[in-house]
Amino acid sequence: MTSTFELSGKRILLVGATGVLGRAFARAIADAGARLTLADLDTSPVAELAAELGASSHAIDVTDEASVTTAVAAAVAAHGGLDGVVANAAITSESLLADGDGFPPFEDYPLATWRRTLDVGLTGAFLVAREAGRAIRDSGGGSVVLTSSIYGVVGPDHRIYKDQPFQSFPGYSASKAGLIGLARWLATWWGADGIRVNTLSPGGVANHQSAEFLARYADRTPMGRMAAPDDIVGALLFLLSDASAYCTGQNLVIDGGLTAW
Ligand SMILES: NC(=O)c1ccc[n+]([C@@H]2O[C@H](COP(=O)([O-])OP(=O)(O)OC[C@H]3O[C@@H](n4cnc5c(N)ncnc54)[C@H](O)[C@@H]3O)[C@@H](O)[C@H]2O)c1
């Protein structure tokens, strides 16, 4: 008997594949037997990861409509159709820190950073969902997963970020909440076409944060720790696979219980 949780033969596109969660997602989807295409901004890292996993790869800039169209078309051409997509790209605290954008207080928050955050995290997912969704419909239906966050559901506790090099930032929460609304809209738009659309909302993932931050975050979490990337992959496989065949328009929160109290 084949497991409804496996992805054997399913043609999946993962956008935002070379980050902390993206790499774990890519490995899990490949291990589950999918015919995978990986896409991310820079060509070399995504090509290297794809070679390791036996996947195909393509560069993509989700803020560029033509780039999204080209990358989705390449994924469809590589495997002869598309059964699922994960819109996983975002501007994160780590990337703002690396880019030197900093975390100004909201009263001085730059419009340009707000716009860039929404452009990648929300409008980028709109473009990926539009292009990939059409291809999935033409392939007979499938699954669209948008990666949201607990910060699309609850506000951050700003106290845990005190004196840390990174902070939470407003465009992140706004884009993540927007994804939950977009997924619900698309779930009702595409329901009759057999295209399921859900959001996956991870809690914070441990990634070289300070011991002080890890302890503060753990204290905010019923399970007493941040997530590891592998804590999140089971939920993604569920949403991409036939195990979730009757699940659409939902937000699956995997957060060690943080939003439960
Ligand atoms: N790590 C966490 O704690 C956490 C928690 C909740 C939700 N998430 C969400 O999970 C997803 C993955 O997060 P992560 O921690 O792996 O972040 P990350 O910063 O490590 O990865 C984000 C990826 O998006 C890509 N990207 C950025 N701009 C892009 C663009 N214009 N076009 C295409 N790709 C672009 C980056 O190159 C990177 O590979 C994000 O949507 C993030 O918001 C992460």
Side-chain angles (χ1 to χ4, degrees), residues 90-104 109 113 116-117 161 163-169 172 207-210 213:
I91 300 291
T92 59
S93 296
E94 286 79 3
S95 57
L96 281 186
L97 190 62
D99 293 350
D101 282 52
F103 300 92
Y109 205 80
T113 312
R116 189 158 71 89
T117 305
Y161 295 92
D163 301 327
Q164 299 302 306
F166 57 89
Q167 306 288 317
S168 73
F169 54 106
Y172 189 79
N207 179 32
H208 308 298
Q209 295 94 343
S210 70
F213 181 82

PDB file of all heavy atoms in Angstrom, residues 90-104 109 113 116-117 161 163-169 172 207-210 213:
ATOM      1  N   ALA A  90      11.402  35.105   1.611  1.00  0.00           N
ATOM      2  CA  ALA A  90      11.039  36.245   2.461  1.00  0.00           C
ATOM      3  C   ALA A  90      12.277  37.068   2.784  1.00  0.00           C
ATOM      4  O   ALA A  90      13.405  36.572   2.700  1.00  0.00           O
ATOM      5  CB  ALA A  90      10.405  35.752   3.770  1.00  0.00           C
ATOM      6  N   ILE A  91      12.040  38.323   3.150  1.00  0.00           N
ATOM      7  CA  ILE A  91      13.057  39.122   3.825  1.00  0.00           C
ATOM      8  C   ILE A  91      12.928  38.784   5.309  1.00  0.00           C
ATOM      9  O   ILE A  91      11.851  38.949   5.884  1.00  0.00           O
ATOM     10  CB  ILE A  91      12.810  40.632   3.615  1.00  0.00           C
ATOM     11  CG1 ILE A  91      12.838  40.990   2.124  1.00  0.00           C
ATOM     12  CG2 ILE A  91      13.797  41.459   4.418  1.00  0.00           C
ATOM     13  CD1 ILE A  91      14.182  40.894   1.476  1.00  0.00           C
ATOM     14  N   THR A  92      13.994  38.284   5.908  1.00  0.00           N
ATOM     15  CA  THR A  92      13.953  37.892   7.312  1.00  0.00           C
ATOM     16  C   THR A  92      14.841  38.823   8.140  1.00  0.00           C
ATOM     17  O   THR A  92      15.626  39.599   7.584  1.00  0.00           O
ATOM     18  CB  THR A  92      14.430  36.438   7.475  1.00  0.00           C
ATOM     19  OG1 THR A  92      15.768  36.352   6.955  1.00  0.00           O
ATOM     20  CG2 THR A  92      13.532  35.475   6.708  1.00  0.00           C
ATOM     21  N   SER A  93      14.739  38.717   9.458  1.00  0.00           N
ATOM     22  CA  SER A  93      15.592  39.526  10.336  1.00  0.00           C
ATOM     23  C   SER A  93      17.063  39.301   9.997  1.00  0.00           C
ATOM     24  O   SER A  93      17.854  40.238   9.946  1.00  0.00           O
ATOM     25  CB  SER A  93      15.380  39.148  11.798  1.00  0.00           C
ATOM     26  OG  SER A  93      14.074  39.442  12.193  1.00  0.00           O
ATOM     27  N   GLU A  94      17.409  38.029   9.748  1.00  0.00           N
ATOM     28  CA  GLU A  94      18.804  37.700   9.445  1.00  0.00           C
ATOM     29  C   GLU A  94      19.251  38.391   8.158  1.00  0.00           C
ATOM     30  O   GLU A  94      20.378  38.881   8.070  1.00  0.00           O
ATOM     31  CB  GLU A  94      18.985  36.181   9.312  1.00  0.00           C
ATOM     32  CG  GLU A  94      18.941  35.422  10.627  1.00  0.00           C
ATOM     33  CD  GLU A  94      17.521  35.190  11.155  1.00  0.00           C
ATOM     34  OE1 GLU A  94      16.539  35.582  10.463  1.00  0.00           O
ATOM     35  OE2 GLU A  94      17.386  34.654  12.264  1.00  0.00           O
ATOM     36  N   SER A  95      18.374  38.426   7.144  1.00  0.00           N
ATOM     37  CA  SER A  95      18.795  39.045   5.883  1.00  0.00           C
ATOM     38  C   SER A  95      18.875  40.560   6.023  1.00  0.00           C
ATOM     39  O   SER A  95      19.764  41.191   5.445  1.00  0.00           O
ATOM     40  CB  SER A  95      17.888  38.628   4.711  1.00  0.00           C
ATOM     41  OG  SER A  95      16.541  38.940   4.942  1.00  0.00           O
ATOM     42  N   LEU A  96      17.989  41.170   6.816  1.00  0.00           N
ATOM     43  CA  LEU A  96      18.098  42.621   7.056  1.00  0.00           C
ATOM     44  C   LEU A  96      19.388  42.934   7.803  1.00  0.00           C
ATOM     45  O   LEU A  96      20.062  43.932   7.521  1.00  0.00           O
ATOM     46  CB  LEU A  96      16.908  43.128   7.870  1.00  0.00           C
ATOM     47  CG  LEU A  96      15.590  43.354   7.137  1.00  0.00           C
ATOM     48  CD1 LEU A  96      14.572  43.983   8.075  1.00  0.00           C
ATOM     49  CD2 LEU A  96      15.775  44.226   5.901  1.00  0.00           C
ATOM     50  N   LEU A  97      19.734  42.067   8.742  1.00  0.00           N
ATOM     51  CA  LEU A  97      20.972  42.250   9.508  1.00  0.00           C
ATOM     52  C   LEU A  97      22.174  42.157   8.562  1.00  0.00           C
ATOM     53  O   LEU A  97      23.070  43.018   8.574  1.00  0.00           O
ATOM     54  CB  LEU A  97      21.055  41.161  10.586  1.00  0.00           C
ATOM     55  CG  LEU A  97      22.131  41.276  11.645  1.00  0.00           C
ATOM     56  CD1 LEU A  97      21.931  42.546  12.469  1.00  0.00           C
ATOM     57  CD2 LEU A  97      22.077  40.051  12.573  1.00  0.00           C
ATOM     58  N   ALA A  98      22.167  41.126   7.705  1.00  0.00           N
ATOM     59  CA  ALA A  98      23.281  40.929   6.777  1.00  0.00           C
ATOM     60  C   ALA A  98      23.389  42.085   5.780  1.00  0.00           C
ATOM     61  O   ALA A  98      24.491  42.489   5.408  1.00  0.00           O
ATOM     62  CB  ALA A  98      23.103  39.599   6.040  1.00  0.00           C
ATOM     63  N   ASP A  99      22.240  42.618   5.355  1.00  0.00           N
ATOM     64  CA  ASP A  99      22.250  43.712   4.371  1.00  0.00           C
ATOM     65  C   ASP A  99      22.552  45.065   5.008  1.00  0.00           C
ATOM     66  O   ASP A  99      22.652  46.073   4.301  1.00  0.00           O
ATOM     67  CB  ASP A  99      20.890  43.800   3.655  1.00  0.00           C
ATOM     68  CG  ASP A  99      20.644  42.588   2.779  1.00  0.00           C
ATOM     69  OD1 ASP A  99      21.599  41.808   2.582  1.00  0.00           O
ATOM     70  OD2 ASP A  99      19.505  42.407   2.312  1.00  0.00           O
ATOM     71  N   GLY A 100      22.634  45.109   6.334  1.00  0.00           N
ATOM     72  CA  GLY A 100      22.949  46.372   7.014  1.00  0.00           C
ATOM     73  C   GLY A 100      21.785  47.346   7.076  1.00  0.00           C
ATOM     74  O   GLY A 100      21.973  48.538   7.308  1.00  0.00           O
ATOM     75  N   ASP A 101      20.561  46.842   6.863  1.00  0.00           N
ATOM     76  CA  ASP A 101      19.393  47.738   6.885  1.00  0.00           C
ATOM     77  C   ASP A 101      19.069  48.213   8.295  1.00  0.00           C
ATOM     78  O   ASP A 101      18.482  49.275   8.474  1.00  0.00           O
ATOM     79  CB  ASP A 101      18.156  47.028   6.327  1.00  0.00           C
ATOM     80  CG  ASP A 101      18.184  46.972   4.823  1.00  0.00           C
ATOM     81  OD1 ASP A 101      19.202  46.523   4.289  1.00  0.00           O
ATOM     82  OD2 ASP A 101      17.189  47.372   4.202  1.00  0.00           O
ATOM     83  N   GLY A 102      19.405  47.386   9.289  1.00  0.00           N
ATOM     84  CA  GLY A 102      19.125  47.761  10.671  1.00  0.00           C
ATOM     85  C   GLY A 102      17.648  47.655  11.000  1.00  0.00           C
ATOM     86  O   GLY A 102      16.829  47.232  10.169  1.00  0.00           O
ATOM     87  N   PHE A 103      17.321  48.018  12.244  1.00  0.00           N
ATOM     88  CA  PHE A 103      15.952  47.871  12.739  1.00  0.00           C
ATOM     89  C   PHE A 103      15.519  49.161  13.426  1.00  0.00           C
ATOM     90  O   PHE A 103      15.442  49.218  14.654  1.00  0.00           O
ATOM     91  CB  PHE A 103      15.886  46.668  13.689  1.00  0.00           C
ATOM     92  CG  PHE A 103      16.291  45.389  13.013  1.00  0.00           C
ATOM     93  CD1 PHE A 103      17.621  44.952  13.056  1.00  0.00           C
ATOM     94  CD2 PHE A 103      15.360  44.635  12.313  1.00  0.00           C
ATOM     95  CE1 PHE A 103      17.996  43.784  12.413  1.00  0.00           C
ATOM     96  CE2 PHE A 103      15.737  43.464  11.667  1.00  0.00           C
ATOM     97  CZ  PHE A 103      17.065  43.045  11.720  1.00  0.00           C
ATOM     98  N   PRO A 104      15.258  50.219  12.633  1.00  0.00           N
ATOM     99  CA  PRO A 104      14.856  51.486  13.227  1.00  0.00           C
ATOM    100  C   PRO A 104      13.524  51.345  13.964  1.00  0.00           C
ATOM    101  O   PRO A 104      12.720  50.464  13.633  1.00  0.00           O
ATOM    102  CB  PRO A 104      14.676  52.422  12.023  1.00  0.00           C
ATOM    103  CG  PRO A 104      15.195  51.697  10.849  1.00  0.00           C
ATOM    104  CD  PRO A 104      15.228  50.238  11.170  1.00  0.00           C
ATOM    105  N   TYR A 109      10.407  54.327  10.791  1.00  0.00           N
ATOM    106  CA  TYR A 109      10.638  53.175   9.914  1.00  0.00           C
ATOM    107  C   TYR A 109      10.668  53.588   8.435  1.00  0.00           C
ATOM    108  O   TYR A 109       9.753  54.267   7.953  1.00  0.00           O
ATOM    109  CB  TYR A 109       9.568  52.095  10.124  1.00  0.00           C
ATOM    110  CG  TYR A 109      10.112  50.742   9.738  1.00  0.00           C
ATOM    111  CD1 TYR A 109      10.932  50.035  10.604  1.00  0.00           C
ATOM    112  CD2 TYR A 109       9.870  50.221   8.482  1.00  0.00           C
ATOM    113  CE1 TYR A 109      11.492  48.826  10.229  1.00  0.00           C
ATOM    114  CE2 TYR A 109      10.419  49.012   8.098  1.00  0.00           C
ATOM    115  CZ  TYR A 109      11.238  48.321   8.976  1.00  0.00           C
ATOM    116  OH  TYR A 109      11.798  47.126   8.589  1.00  0.00           O
ATOM    117  N   THR A 113      12.194  50.039   3.177  1.00  0.00           N
ATOM    118  CA  THR A 113      12.357  48.697   3.760  1.00  0.00           C
ATOM    119  C   THR A 113      10.998  48.019   3.906  1.00  0.00           C
ATOM    120  O   THR A 113      10.853  46.815   3.663  1.00  0.00           O
ATOM    121  CB  THR A 113      13.057  48.780   5.128  1.00  0.00           C
ATOM    122  OG1 THR A 113      14.200  49.624   5.004  1.00  0.00           O
ATOM    123  CG2 THR A 113      13.501  47.414   5.608  1.00  0.00           C
ATOM    124  N   ARG A 116      10.082  46.846   0.399  1.00  0.00           N
ATOM    125  CA  ARG A 116      10.888  45.703  -0.036  1.00  0.00           C
ATOM    126  C   ARG A 116      10.416  44.421   0.661  1.00  0.00           C
ATOM    127  O   ARG A 116      10.327  43.354   0.049  1.00  0.00           O
ATOM    128  CB  ARG A 116      12.366  45.965   0.277  1.00  0.00           C
ATOM    129  CG  ARG A 116      13.299  44.925  -0.328  1.00  0.00           C
ATOM    130  CD  ARG A 116      14.709  45.480  -0.466  1.00  0.00           C
ATOM    131  NE  ARG A 116      15.376  45.644   0.802  1.00  0.00           N
ATOM    132  CZ  ARG A 116      16.112  44.709   1.402  1.00  0.00           C
ATOM    133  NH1 ARG A 116      16.281  43.542   0.832  1.00  0.00           N
ATOM    134  NH2 ARG A 116      16.701  44.945   2.551  1.00  0.00           N
ATOM    135  N   THR A 117      10.097  44.550   1.948  1.00  0.00           N
ATOM    136  CA  THR A 117       9.645  43.382   2.715  1.00  0.00           C
ATOM    137  C   THR A 117       8.328  42.838   2.145  1.00  0.00           C
ATOM    138  O   THR A 117       8.169  41.625   1.959  1.00  0.00           O
ATOM    139  CB  THR A 117       9.464  43.765   4.193  1.00  0.00           C
ATOM    140  OG1 THR A 117      10.684  44.337   4.669  1.00  0.00           O
ATOM    141  CG2 THR A 117       9.108  42.566   5.038  1.00  0.00           C
ATOM    142  N   TYR A 161      13.579  40.697  22.263  1.00  0.00           N
ATOM    143  CA  TYR A 161      14.578  41.191  21.293  1.00  0.00           C
ATOM    144  C   TYR A 161      15.484  42.277  21.878  1.00  0.00           C
ATOM    145  O   TYR A 161      16.384  42.761  21.205  1.00  0.00           O
ATOM    146  CB  TYR A 161      13.874  41.736  20.043  1.00  0.00           C
ATOM    147  CG  TYR A 161      13.135  40.667  19.276  1.00  0.00           C
ATOM    148  CD1 TYR A 161      11.787  40.409  19.525  1.00  0.00           C
ATOM    149  CD2 TYR A 161      13.784  39.889  18.321  1.00  0.00           C
ATOM    150  CE1 TYR A 161      11.109  39.417  18.832  1.00  0.00           C
ATOM    151  CE2 TYR A 161      13.115  38.898  17.621  1.00  0.00           C
ATOM    152  CZ  TYR A 161      11.779  38.670  17.887  1.00  0.00           C
ATOM    153  OH  TYR A 161      11.119  37.683  17.190  1.00  0.00           O
ATOM    154  N   ASP A 163      18.283  44.407  23.205  1.00  0.00           N
ATOM    155  CA  ASP A 163      19.745  44.320  23.126  1.00  0.00           C
ATOM    156  C   ASP A 163      20.254  43.211  22.201  1.00  0.00           C
ATOM    157  O   ASP A 163      21.419  42.821  22.288  1.00  0.00           O
ATOM    158  CB  ASP A 163      20.379  44.145  24.526  1.00  0.00           C
ATOM    159  CG  ASP A 163      20.031  45.296  25.456  1.00  0.00           C
ATOM    160  OD1 ASP A 163      19.888  46.435  24.950  1.00  0.00           O
ATOM    161  OD2 ASP A 163      19.872  45.063  26.665  1.00  0.00           O
ATOM    162  N   GLN A 164      19.385  42.684  21.332  1.00  0.00           N
ATOM    163  CA  GLN A 164      19.835  41.683  20.358  1.00  0.00           C
ATOM    164  C   GLN A 164      20.212  42.396  19.048  1.00  0.00           C
ATOM    165  O   GLN A 164      19.701  43.485  18.774  1.00  0.00           O
ATOM    166  CB  GLN A 164      18.718  40.663  20.086  1.00  0.00           C
ATOM    167  CG  GLN A 164      18.292  39.897  21.324  1.00  0.00           C
ATOM    168  CD  GLN A 164      19.452  39.143  21.955  1.00  0.00           C
ATOM    169  OE1 GLN A 164      20.144  38.368  21.297  1.00  0.00           O
ATOM    170  NE2 GLN A 164      19.693  39.378  23.247  1.00  0.00           N
ATOM    171  N   PRO A 165      21.085  41.806  18.225  1.00  0.00           N
ATOM    172  CA  PRO A 165      21.469  42.463  16.969  1.00  0.00           C
ATOM    173  C   PRO A 165      20.327  42.520  15.960  1.00  0.00           C
ATOM    174  O   PRO A 165      20.335  43.333  15.040  1.00  0.00           O
ATOM    175  CB  PRO A 165      22.617  41.595  16.441  1.00  0.00           C
ATOM    176  CG  PRO A 165      22.480  40.286  17.151  1.00  0.00           C
ATOM    177  CD  PRO A 165      21.820  40.565  18.467  1.00  0.00           C
ATOM    178  N   PHE A 166      19.338  41.636  16.112  1.00  0.00           N
ATOM    179  CA  PHE A 166      18.186  41.625  15.201  1.00  0.00           C
ATOM    180  C   PHE A 166      16.922  41.875  16.014  1.00  0.00           C
ATOM    181  O   PHE A 166      16.881  41.618  17.221  1.00  0.00           O
ATOM    182  CB  PHE A 166      18.083  40.271  14.481  1.00  0.00           C
ATOM    183  CG  PHE A 166      17.988  39.127  15.436  1.00  0.00           C
ATOM    184  CD1 PHE A 166      16.749  38.700  15.879  1.00  0.00           C
ATOM    185  CD2 PHE A 166      19.118  38.503  15.929  1.00  0.00           C
ATOM    186  CE1 PHE A 166      16.649  37.671  16.797  1.00  0.00           C
ATOM    187  CE2 PHE A 166      19.027  37.464  16.844  1.00  0.00           C
ATOM    188  CZ  PHE A 166      17.790  37.050  17.279  1.00  0.00           C
ATOM    189  N   GLN A 167      15.902  42.379  15.341  1.00  0.00           N
ATOM    190  CA  GLN A 167      14.608  42.680  15.968  1.00  0.00           C
ATOM    191  C   GLN A 167      13.514  42.108  15.079  1.00  0.00           C
ATOM    192  O   GLN A 167      13.772  41.758  13.933  1.00  0.00           O
ATOM    193  CB  GLN A 167      14.413  44.202  16.064  1.00  0.00           C
ATOM    194  CG  GLN A 167      15.542  44.945  16.754  1.00  0.00           C
ATOM    195  CD  GLN A 167      15.569  44.688  18.255  1.00  0.00           C
ATOM    196  OE1 GLN A 167      14.529  44.678  18.896  1.00  0.00           O
ATOM    197  NE2 GLN A 167      16.758  44.455  18.808  1.00  0.00           N
ATOM    198  N   SER A 168      12.303  42.058  15.601  1.00  0.00           N
ATOM    199  CA  SER A 168      11.194  41.811  14.687  1.00  0.00           C
ATOM    200  C   SER A 168      10.923  43.136  13.967  1.00  0.00           C
ATOM    201  O   SER A 168      11.329  44.191  14.438  1.00  0.00           O
ATOM    202  CB  SER A 168       9.956  41.343  15.451  1.00  0.00           C
ATOM    203  OG  SER A 168       9.404  42.413  16.148  1.00  0.00           O
ATOM    204  N   PHE A 169      10.252  43.081  12.818  1.00  0.00           N
ATOM    205  CA  PHE A 169      10.044  44.311  12.049  1.00  0.00           C
ATOM    206  C   PHE A 169       8.661  44.291  11.401  1.00  0.00           C
ATOM    207  O   PHE A 169       8.119  43.220  11.111  1.00  0.00           O
ATOM    208  CB  PHE A 169      11.174  44.539  11.034  1.00  0.00           C
ATOM    209  CG  PHE A 169      11.435  43.399  10.102  1.00  0.00           C
ATOM    210  CD1 PHE A 169      11.045  43.470   8.778  1.00  0.00           C
ATOM    211  CD2 PHE A 169      12.078  42.236  10.540  1.00  0.00           C
ATOM    212  CE1 PHE A 169      11.284  42.412   7.906  1.00  0.00           C
ATOM    213  CE2 PHE A 169      12.316  41.172   9.672  1.00  0.00           C
ATOM    214  CZ  PHE A 169      11.923  41.267   8.358  1.00  0.00           C
ATOM    215  N   TYR A 172       7.353  42.420   8.137  1.00  0.00           N
ATOM    216  CA  TYR A 172       7.340  40.950   8.250  1.00  0.00           C
ATOM    217  C   TYR A 172       5.976  40.477   8.734  1.00  0.00           C
ATOM    218  O   TYR A 172       5.331  39.629   8.104  1.00  0.00           O
ATOM    219  CB  TYR A 172       8.452  40.497   9.203  1.00  0.00           C
ATOM    220  CG  TYR A 172       8.657  39.009   9.217  1.00  0.00           C
ATOM    221  CD1 TYR A 172       9.379  38.376   8.209  1.00  0.00           C
ATOM    222  CD2 TYR A 172       8.118  38.216  10.230  1.00  0.00           C
ATOM    223  CE1 TYR A 172       9.562  37.006   8.205  1.00  0.00           C
ATOM    224  CE2 TYR A 172       8.304  36.844  10.233  1.00  0.00           C
ATOM    225  CZ  TYR A 172       9.029  36.241   9.222  1.00  0.00           C
ATOM    226  OH  TYR A 172       9.199  34.879   9.220  1.00  0.00           O
ATOM    227  N   ASN A 207      18.965  29.398  15.150  1.00  0.00           N
ATOM    228  CA  ASN A 207      19.923  29.614  14.063  1.00  0.00           C
ATOM    229  C   ASN A 207      21.034  30.544  14.552  1.00  0.00           C
ATOM    230  O   ASN A 207      21.126  31.684  14.119  1.00  0.00           O
ATOM    231  CB  ASN A 207      19.189  30.205  12.844  1.00  0.00           C
ATOM    232  CG  ASN A 207      20.117  30.472  11.678  1.00  0.00           C
ATOM    233  OD1 ASN A 207      21.089  29.749  11.490  1.00  0.00           O
ATOM    234  ND2 ASN A 207      19.819  31.515  10.919  1.00  0.00           N
ATOM    235  N   HIS A 208      21.831  30.059  15.483  1.00  0.00           N
ATOM    236  CA  HIS A 208      22.979  30.820  16.001  1.00  0.00           C
ATOM    237  C   HIS A 208      22.574  32.102  16.740  1.00  0.00           C
ATOM    238  O   HIS A 208      23.368  33.045  16.792  1.00  0.00           O
ATOM    239  CB  HIS A 208      23.967  31.166  14.884  1.00  0.00           C
ATOM    240  CG  HIS A 208      24.381  29.980  14.069  1.00  0.00           C
ATOM    241  ND1 HIS A 208      25.049  28.899  14.615  1.00  0.00           N
ATOM    242  CD2 HIS A 208      24.187  29.684  12.762  1.00  0.00           C
ATOM    243  CE1 HIS A 208      25.261  28.005  13.669  1.00  0.00           C
ATOM    244  NE2 HIS A 208      24.735  28.447  12.537  1.00  0.00           N
ATOM    245  N   GLN A 209      21.344  32.168  17.283  1.00  0.00           N
ATOM    246  CA  GLN A 209      21.007  33.320  18.120  1.00  0.00           C
ATOM    247  C   GLN A 209      21.787  33.221  19.433  1.00  0.00           C
ATOM    248  O   GLN A 209      22.291  32.157  19.789  1.00  0.00           O
ATOM    249  CB  GLN A 209      19.498  33.342  18.419  1.00  0.00           C
ATOM    250  CG  GLN A 209      18.605  33.564  17.201  1.00  0.00           C
ATOM    251  CD  GLN A 209      18.116  32.261  16.585  1.00  0.00           C
ATOM    252  OE1 GLN A 209      18.669  31.190  16.845  1.00  0.00           O
ATOM    253  NE2 GLN A 209      17.099  32.352  15.740  1.00  0.00           N
ATOM    254  N   SER A 210      21.863  34.334  20.163  1.00  0.00           N
ATOM    255  CA  SER A 210      22.597  34.340  21.433  1.00  0.00           C
ATOM    256  C   SER A 210      21.901  33.437  22.452  1.00  0.00           C
ATOM    257  O   SER A 210      20.689  33.189  22.360  1.00  0.00           O
ATOM    258  CB  SER A 210      22.660  35.767  21.993  1.00  0.00           C
ATOM    259  OG  SER A 210      21.369  36.166  22.424  1.00  0.00           O
ATOM    260  N   PHE A 213      18.957  35.165  23.972  1.00  0.00           N
ATOM    261  CA  PHE A 213      17.740  35.166  23.161  1.00  0.00           C
ATOM    262  C   PHE A 213      17.080  33.790  23.191  1.00  0.00           C
ATOM    263  O   PHE A 213      15.855  33.677  23.349  1.00  0.00           O
ATOM    264  CB  PHE A 213      18.044  35.574  21.718  1.00  0.00           C
ATOM    265  CG  PHE A 213      16.807  35.601  20.862  1.00  0.00           C
ATOM    266  CD1 PHE A 213      15.958  36.703  20.876  1.00  0.00           C
ATOM    267  CD2 PHE A 213      16.460  34.518  20.069  1.00  0.00           C
ATOM    268  CE1 PHE A 213      14.794  36.724  20.115  1.00  0.00           C
ATOM    269  CE2 PHE A 213      15.300  34.525  19.303  1.00  0.00           C
ATOM    270  CZ  PHE A 213      14.468  35.632  19.328  1.00  0.00           C
TER     271      PHE A 213
END
